[in-house]
Amino acid sequence: MTTMTYSTDNEKRLSEPTVPPHLDGSPWLMFEQQRALHIYDDLSRTLRKLAKKPSAERVHEARVVLRRWDCIWNVLEADGWSTKKYGKQVGKELKKIRHLLGTLRDCDVNIEIAESLNAPQEIIEKWLNERKSIARKTKKELKNLEVDKLLKRLSTFLLKRPEKLRHDFESNGNSGADSAYNHLEPFVKAQEEIARKLASAAQTPEELHALRLGIKAWRYLLVEFYGLTNLQLVRAQQILGKLNDLHRVEVLLAATGSPLANESLSKSNEEREKLLDAFTQFRETLPYGLRPMISSIGEKLKSN
C-alpha cells in the first residue's frame, strides 16, 4: 500500500493529531467536577443496591466503582478539594466500605479459585460458611453506615466545593481556568513513571501486587479523565490480579496443613508459571505516553 503525503502547509496542519476539544477547551476545575459527578451517579446506584443485598456480583461492582472514585479523588485531593468535614463525614465512611467489601470479595475469589483447583471439599465448605458470616456482618455494617445519608453528603460536597475553590484561586491570582488536558498531564505522567519503575524490577508476589496497583491507577486515570481505554493495560492488570489471587489462595491452602491440598497447590503453581510467562509479553511494551488525540484530517474526511 502506498502512503499518501500532503504537501501544503494547510494540509500538513490538518493531518497533525490534536488534543480533543472537550479536554483542550474545558477549564480543569469544571472538568474535575463533571467527572466526579459522573462517578457519583454510578456510586450512588451501586451502593444502594449493595445495601439491600451484598451478593458477589454487587460486591464486585461496588469495589470497581469505589476504585474509580479513589482514582478521581487522588487528583481532586491534590488540587485542594479535601476538607476536614469531607474526611470525617465522607472519606472515612467510604474507607470503611472499601475495607468491608475487600474482605468479602477476597472470600468470593478464594472460593472460586479453590473450586477451579479442585481443592478438598471440606476446605471449600469451611470457606463458604466463613463467607456467609462475613456477608451478614457486611450487610449490618452497611446499614449502620447509613448509605443514603453518606451519598447525600457527597453530592452536596461535589456541588458546592468548586465554587469555594474558585474563589480561593481567584484570590491568589489563579482562576483555575487552565485546560483540563494541560492540568492533568503531570498526574498521568507521574503515574506512568511509577508503573515504569515497578515494571522494571517487580519479581516477588508483593512487588507484582504493587505493580498491579500502579497499572490500575494509571489505567483509571486514562479512562476516567481522558475516556481512553487500552486493552494492553487491561490484560496486564488481569494477569497480575490473577497472580495475586493465586498467591493468596496458595498461602491459605498451605496453612490448612491438609495433605489433600498438595495437588491443588501443584496445579496452582503450574497456572502461576503460565501467567508469569504471559505477563512477560506486556512488561516491556506497556503503552507509556499514551494520550487521547484526534486527527483533524480524519475528522474532516469522516464528516464529508
Side-chain angles (χ1 to χ4, degrees):
M1 177 184 287
T2 303
T3 301
M4 295 181 64
T5 58
Y6 300 90
S7 58
T8 69
D9 290 342
N10 186 50
E11 287 172 328
K12 287 180 180 178
R13 180 183 59 79
L14 285 173
S15 66
E16 292 175 354
T18 58
V19 178
H22 76 283
L23 290 170
D24 196 33
S26 298
W28 67 265
L29 183 56
M30 181 186 301
F31 186 74
E32 287 183 355
Q33 182 187 38
Q34 291 172 348
R35 296 310 304 157
L37 286 170
H38 173 75
I39 295 181
Y40 167 81
D41 289 339
D42 293 340
L43 187 63
S44 175
R45 181 178 61 255
T46 303
L47 289 185
R48 286 193 169 99
K49 290 195 311 182
L50 178 74
K52 294 179 180 177
K53 183 181 179 182
S55 65
E57 181 180 355
R58 289 179 178 181
V59 167
H60 174 64
E61 183 182 357
R63 291 190 72 222
V64 170
V65 178
L66 283 167
R67 285 197 298 265
R68 291 171 57 204
W69 171 257
D70 285 344
C71 169
I72 288 281
W73 181 250
N74 286 338
V75 174
L76 268 57
E77 186 174 31
D79 281 333
W81 282 66
S82 185
T83 65
K84 289 183 179 180
K85 186 177 181 180
Y86 170 88
K88 182 178 180 180
Q89 295 187 350
V90 179
K92 184 178 179 180
E93 303 300 284
L94 290 178
K95 186 175 181 180
K96 287 181 182 178
I97 294 175
R98 284 196 299 273
H99 177 72
L100 287 169
L101 300 188
T103 301
L104 194 53
R105 178 61 178 167
D106 283 349
C107 287
D108 292 329
V109 175
N110 293 346
I111 293 167
E112 180 182 335
I113 291 179
E115 290 175 338
S116 73
L117 296 174
N118 297 319
Q121 192 60 36
E122 61 201 53
I123 293 177
I124 293 176
E125 288 294 334
K126 179 182 178 183
W127 291 0
L128 283 169
N129 289 331
E130 290 174 352
R131 201 273 179 196
K132 291 178 182 177
S133 176
I134 294 173
R136 287 193 294 269
K137 178 183 177 183
T138 299
K139 188 173 182 178
K140 181 179 179 180
E141 289 292 333
L142 288 173
K143 185 177 180 180
N144 291 337
L145 286 172
E146 299 181 292
V147 169
D148 285 338
K149 186 178 292 186
L150 168 63
L151 290 168
K152 184 176 181 180
R153 288 170 176 167
L154 178 55
S155 175
T156 300
F157 173 81
L158 293 177
L159 291 171
K160 292 184 176 181
R161 182 59 176 158
E163 188 57 39
K164 177 65 167 58
L165 284 172
R166 188 176 293 108
H167 175 75
D168 292 343
F169 291 148
E170 289 175 352
S171 298
N172 295 322
N174 180 356
S175 64
D178 292 343
S179 78
Y181 189 89
N182 290 336
H183 183 77
L184 293 169
E185 173 64 17
F187 292 99
V188 179
K189 190 172 182 179
Q191 191 57 49
E192 278 183 346
E193 287 306 307
I194 290 173
R196 189 195 301 272
K197 290 178 181 178
L198 291 170
S200 67
Q203 297 293 335
T204 67
E206 293 75 20
E207 290 169 345
L208 290 169
H209 176 57
L211 173 57
R212 180 177 71 92
L213 296 179
I215 289 177
K216 184 187 296 184
W218 175 18
R219 183 171 76 85
Y220 278 141
L221 281 174
L222 292 174
V223 171
E224 299 303 333
F225 284 119
Y226 288 165
L228 188 60
T229 299
N230 180 268
L231 294 181
Q232 192 175 14
L233 289 177
V234 171
R235 184 57 181 152
Q237 182 186 323
Q238 289 174 338
I239 292 174
L240 290 168
K242 187 63 180 294
L243 282 168
N244 183 64
D245 293 336
L246 282 173
H247 175 67
R248 185 179 63 252
V249 172
E250 287 174 2
V251 171
L252 292 172
L253 286 174
T256 66
S258 171
L260 298 175
N262 290 338
E263 186 175 341
S264 298
L265 287 168
S266 178
K267 188 175 180 180
S268 178
N269 185 63
E270 291 177 7
E271 187 171 350
R272 180 158 40 82
E273 290 301 318
K274 291 178 182 178
L275 288 169
L276 285 170
D277 289 341
F279 181 66
T280 301
Q281 304 175 43
F282 296 94
R283 187 189 290 266
E284 302 299 330
T285 59
L286 293 172
Y288 304 111
L290 181 67
R291 298 293 185 276
M293 292 288 174
I294 59 172
S295 173
S296 298
I297 188 69
E299 291 300 313
K300 180 180 179 182
L301 291 172
K302 187 166 61 176
S303 64
N304 287 339

